[in-house]
Amino acid sequence: MNQTDLLSSSQRLMHLALAGLGADDLQADVVVLHAGVAVEHALKAFLCSVSPSLVVDGRDFPSLLHGAGRGELAKKPLPMIKTIGAMEAFMRVSKILDGHEFDVSEHEFRLIADARNGVAHIGIRDTAQVEDLLSTGLRIVDAVLKSLGEDAAAYWGDFSVVHEKILDVKRQADLIRIEALKTRALRRLVERFGTNDTEERRAAIASAQSHTVVAGQAKALRPCPACLNQGWVGGDLDTDYSGDEGQVIIVTQYFLCSVCGFSLHGDLLRYFNDLYEDIPLGPAATFVYADGSLHEDVWLEISAEVAAEFMADEEEEELRGRR
């Protein structure tokens, strides 16, 4: 149970899955099953690179012994140990890697896990979903290979062109979807504010763009790709230590324009650098505990305005929950 063996297994199964493309629809279950297990093994390879204990079921003591590298103390052979499922493996990896390194949502991955389980347990598969599932699986494997510093070309081998074609199809589908969202948003803009450039229209637009319900712990203004007015990106707070000192950042996850209604979330943000990139808010105040661990007070150096907005949002959510 190690990174190398799991990556080799992932590669073999992924090649079987890609080789099954183009066959008749009856082959779809083979593609889904092999691809699903290949992605799971890639995720577990990453976890093993951190510690093999991260892939075992913590409720089973012999499995924990194997994960800790003390399998000789277990009364259960390695092939019989209990490990975490694909969904848990995905959740653990997504908590370790930065959101921009691993930009697949839980919903996207759950489709892969459910499709794989449908084939494995009751022989059900949806032929129409195969290419979408593969494109998500390929993105996950690519993220794992990059994080591990592995040679992606060696992993994909003879299927490198197929890999690129699948991702190209996904990109084209995303761009078509974005253009459709832009068209709907511009129609909504005309319906709300008309087309005449009057002082009243400008005032109404300014008022609209000052308000937002974008989700996340923090938010910032950014130009809307559809109507070019100011919209809002939102996301969660984190600390970036890649520079000389820690910076509090917004890891962007959503975009919403309050003027035209254009909205993006998840992997669609990747097509807009100014919406997708982390937003620095200021230096992080830190101090060291007596045991040497580092405390990050992300609020100390954030402007009072940002903190007040966050607290107001929290209070509003609490009030909604009481109603």
Side-chain angles (χ1 to χ4, degrees):
M1 184 173 62
N2 57 66
Q3 171 187 330
T4 302
D5 289 346
L6 282 165
L7 268 184
S8 295
S9 175
S10 173
Q11 181 190 40
R12 288 194 304 272
L13 292 168
M14 184 61 80
H15 283 201
L16 287 172
L18 296 177
L21 291 174
D24 60 51
D25 288 348
L26 293 176
Q27 190 75 2
D29 53 358
V30 176
V31 174
V32 170
L33 184 60
H34 286 155
V37 180
V39 173
E40 180 179 349
H41 286 187
L43 291 168
K44 289 180 175 177
F46 176 83
L47 292 175
C48 277
S49 75
V50 180
S51 171
S53 62
L54 293 179
V55 304
V56 300
D57 186 340
R59 299 167 297 181
D60 186 70
F61 185 62
S63 298
L64 281 174
L65 287 173
H66 279 288
R70 297 302 304 273
E72 77 279 4
L73 300 178
K75 297 180 180 179
K76 181 185 291 187
L78 182 61
M80 294 182 64
I81 68 169
K82 295 181 179 180
T83 63
I84 59 175
M87 199 69 219
E88 181 62 24
F90 171 83
M91 297 303 296
R92 292 184 182 187
V93 173
S94 64
K95 289 176 181 177
I96 295 173
L97 292 179
D98 179 84
H100 291 175
E101 297 175 284
F102 195 70
D103 60 350
V104 177
S105 69
E106 179 181 349
H107 172 71
E108 288 178 294
F109 182 75
R110 190 173 293 280
L111 294 178
I112 294 179
D114 289 347
R116 193 278 305 271
N117 292 340
V119 173
H121 300 312
I122 51 178
I124 295 177
R125 83 279 186 200
D126 184 350
T127 303
Q129 285 187 327
V130 170
E131 290 186 3
D132 285 341
L133 297 178
L134 273 177
S135 65
T136 301
L138 267 52
R139 286 164 49 212
I140 292 173
V141 172
D142 282 342
V144 166
L145 294 173
K146 182 177 180 180
S147 298
L148 293 176
E150 294 285 340
D151 184 352
Y155 178 97
W156 296 112
D158 294 338
F159 291 95
S160 294
V161 174
V162 176
H163 161 268
E164 288 303 316
K165 291 290 185 182
I166 291 172
L167 293 181
D168 283 343
V169 169
K170 169 64 174 169
R171 282 190 283 266
Q172 289 301 316
D174 285 345
L175 292 175
I176 291 171
R177 181 181 174 193
I178 288 170
E179 288 306 314
L181 290 171
K182 283 184 178 180
T183 300
R184 289 172 55 189
L186 291 175
R187 285 183 178 178
R188 193 178 298 114
L189 176 71
V190 173
E191 290 170 0
R192 291 187 65 189
F193 301 104
T195 57
N196 294 327
D197 184 20
T198 63
E199 184 175 341
E200 291 79 4
R201 181 178 185 269
R202 290 194 294 271
I205 289 177
S207 175
Q209 68 184 5
S210 66
H211 300 89
T212 183
V213 292
V214 69
Q217 293 177 327
K219 57 192 176 183
L221 283 165
R222 288 292 183 274
C224 173
C227 70
L228 305 182
N229 291 293
Q230 292 293 302
W232 295 86
V233 288
D236 292 334
L237 292 169
D238 202 350
T239 310
D240 178 16
Y241 282 102
S242 60
D244 294 334
E245 62 178 357
Q247 285 281 325
V248 179
I249 58 173
I250 304 175
V251 180
T252 57
Q253 298 171 334
Y254 312 94
F255 173 81
L256 174 64
C257 177
S258 301
V259 179
C260 69
F262 182 71
S263 65
L264 297 168
H265 62 87
D267 63 320
L268 291 184
L269 281 175
R270 293 182 296 123
Y271 298 96
F272 301 92
N273 290 336
D274 55 334
L275 305 182
Y276 186 60
E277 62 188 3
D278 295 335
I279 300 172
L281 295 180
T286 62
F287 62 85
V288 179
Y289 289 108
D291 64 1
S293 60
L294 189 68
H295 169 79
E296 300 172 11
D297 186 352
V298 298
W299 293 109
L300 199 57
E301 297 295 334
I302 294 180
S303 69
E305 180 182 355
V306 173
E309 285 184 4
F310 178 72
M311 294 301 295
D313 290 342
E314 290 275 281
E315 291 173 2
E316 184 177 346
E317 286 296 323
E318 185 177 349
L319 287 173
R320 287 178 182 174
R322 291 176 182 173
R323 291 171 185 165

